[in-house]
Amino acid sequence: MTVELTAAPTRPPSKTSRRAGTAARQHIMGWAFVGPFAIVFLALLVAPLLYALYLSLFQNQLIGGERFVLFDNYLKAFTDPDFLDGAWFVIRFSVILIPIQMAISLAMALVLDVVTTAFARFSRLMIFLPYAIPAVIGALMWGFLYSKNFGPLAEIFGALGATAPDLLSRELVFFGLLNIVIWQWAGYYMIILFAALQGIDPTLYEAARIDGANQWQITLRIKIPLIMPALVLILVFALIGTLQFFNEPQILRYLAAGAIPSDYTPNMYAYQQAFALANYNYGSAISFALGAVVFVCVYIFLFATRKRGSFLS
């Protein structure tokens, strides 16, 4: 008598196991895409920040080495006249700079949105070009242009029989820096506003023209209200960037003959403490104190404009 053994039929994988396998593959693929960025982000941003925070809680002494002082460095920073003067300077600088910068960027974007010739495309590229130039090179270039000894500005005024304004002097360096920052960033903000204008439905313009609206009314009542979130966005960018002002005054201070002290802005003061005076603990505390000032200013601004721009909501 013989018995035939037959293999048991294999069951196809259930829907639940297929879903689990698909989810696991998607999970792995997600980490494969995010992983490289996460490693760089943690190594180059989070880790240095945590180390700077750690340093800011200590104080280096000549006798006894480092001592844990908790928030003493922060209390010292917020009562330090040099730090407060620098913070007050960048706030005043922001109040003057940002409206001018936004008005220029908005005007250029509105004009280039109307003009559609090849010259407009060339103009967009030329206006954006300063943003592509490193801030250090831009500051050096303007330092040469401002020079009263060998710069072209002095030669032009000299040919006209006049004396060129010394934009590197103590009285006028504020305006010299103002011009450099506007030149550097206006094109970048213009591109953001121009992209927002390009996203507006053209039928809105046609409907407005049928109703008898002219170009000025279309600009004021359609274009500007519809790009308000983009305006709020660049305003936040400008506010954060200006409160962290560093590159331009740091470069020009070597050309400005004492018009820009080493503690001109809070970032410069932190740099001086950390790298010129080797006071890393206090320099780290100043940096975090400046971060707190930036956070408070941006939060107040967003709270005040929450009904106008909703890009963060």
Side-chain angles (χ1 to χ4, degrees):
M1 182 176 178
T2 59
V3 178
E4 292 184 359
L5 297 177
T6 57
T10 56
R11 287 186 177 179
S14 65
K15 289 184 178 179
T16 306
S17 60
R18 285 201 300 270
R19 287 175 185 166
T22 304
R25 284 194 297 275
Q26 291 177 344
H27 190 69
I28 293 172
M29 287 295 292
W31 276 111
F33 279 108
V34 176
F37 167 76
I39 292 171
V40 174
F41 180 77
L42 291 173
L44 299 182
L45 184 66
V46 177
L49 279 176
L50 291 177
Y51 183 61
L53 179 64
Y54 168 80
L55 287 177
S56 70
L57 303 178
F58 289 82
Q59 189 173 20
N60 198 10
Q61 299 174 319
L62 291 177
I63 301 175
E66 282 195 341
R67 183 170 63 92
F68 182 68
V69 294
L70 194 59
F71 297 121
D72 283 3
N73 285 329
Y74 292 92
L75 295 176
K76 179 182 175 183
F78 282 111
T79 55
D80 187 341
D82 294 330
F83 173 74
L84 295 178
D85 287 346
W88 175 235
F89 165 76
V90 292
I91 290 174
R92 285 186 289 122
F93 194 74
S94 302
V95 168
I96 297 174
L97 167 73
I98 294 176
I100 298 174
Q101 202 172 34
M102 289 191 65
I104 293 174
S105 304
L106 179 61
M108 290 189 297
L110 289 170
V111 170
L112 294 176
D113 184 55
V114 175
V115 181
T116 56
T117 61
F119 180 74
R121 291 193 290 273
F122 176 76
S123 299
R124 282 203 301 272
L125 178 62
M126 289 298 103
I127 294 170
F128 181 74
L129 188 60
Y131 176 70
I133 297 175
V136 173
I137 295 176
L140 286 173
M141 182 192 74
W142 280 104
F144 166 72
L145 294 175
Y146 288 162
S147 175
K148 63 180 180 182
N149 298 321
F150 49 80
L153 196 63
E155 293 183 4
I156 293 171
F157 274 83
L160 298 174
T163 304
D166 186 4
L167 293 172
L168 296 177
S169 65
R170 190 180 297 273
E171 294 78 18
L172 297 180
V173 73
F174 182 93
F175 301 100
L177 291 169
L178 202 68
N179 174 60
I180 295 173
V181 178
I182 292 173
W183 171 83
Q184 184 95 39
W185 289 94
Y188 174 69
Y189 297 146
M190 181 273 293
I191 289 294
I192 295 176
L193 295 176
F194 180 76
L197 287 168
Q198 293 292 299
I200 298 176
D201 188 353
T203 58
L204 292 175
Y205 305 148
E206 296 175 10
R209 291 190 189 97
I210 291 172
D211 288 341
N214 56 31
Q215 191 61 41
W216 181 247
Q217 290 170 323
I218 291 174
T219 299
L220 288 181
R221 298 182 181 180
I222 296 178
K223 290 185 177 181
I224 293 179
L226 287 179
I227 63 169
M228 192 57 72
L231 284 167
V232 174
L233 176 66
I234 67 169
L235 219 161
V236 172
F237 284 171
L239 186 61
I240 294 173
T242 310
L243 291 177
Q244 297 177 347
F245 201 28
F246 178 78
N247 288 333
E248 291 82 359
Q250 181 67 21
I251 296 299
L252 286 184
R253 68 183 291 260
Y254 299 104
L255 307 172
I260 302 177
S262 58
D263 55 356
Y264 199 55
T265 69
N267 262 342
M268 291 176 64
Y269 187 42
Y271 178 85
Q272 179 207 26
Q273 289 292 325
F275 299 105
L277 304 178
N279 191 358
Y280 304 107
N281 306 105
Y282 190 47
S284 301
I286 291 173
S287 299
F288 276 93
L290 175 62
V293 172
V294 172
F295 176 80
V296 170
C297 290
V298 171
Y299 181 81
I300 291 173
F301 171 76
L302 290 177
F303 183 79
T305 59
R306 63 190 186 282
K307 292 183 180 179
R308 294 179 180 275
S310 58
F311 73 98
L312 290 179
S313 62

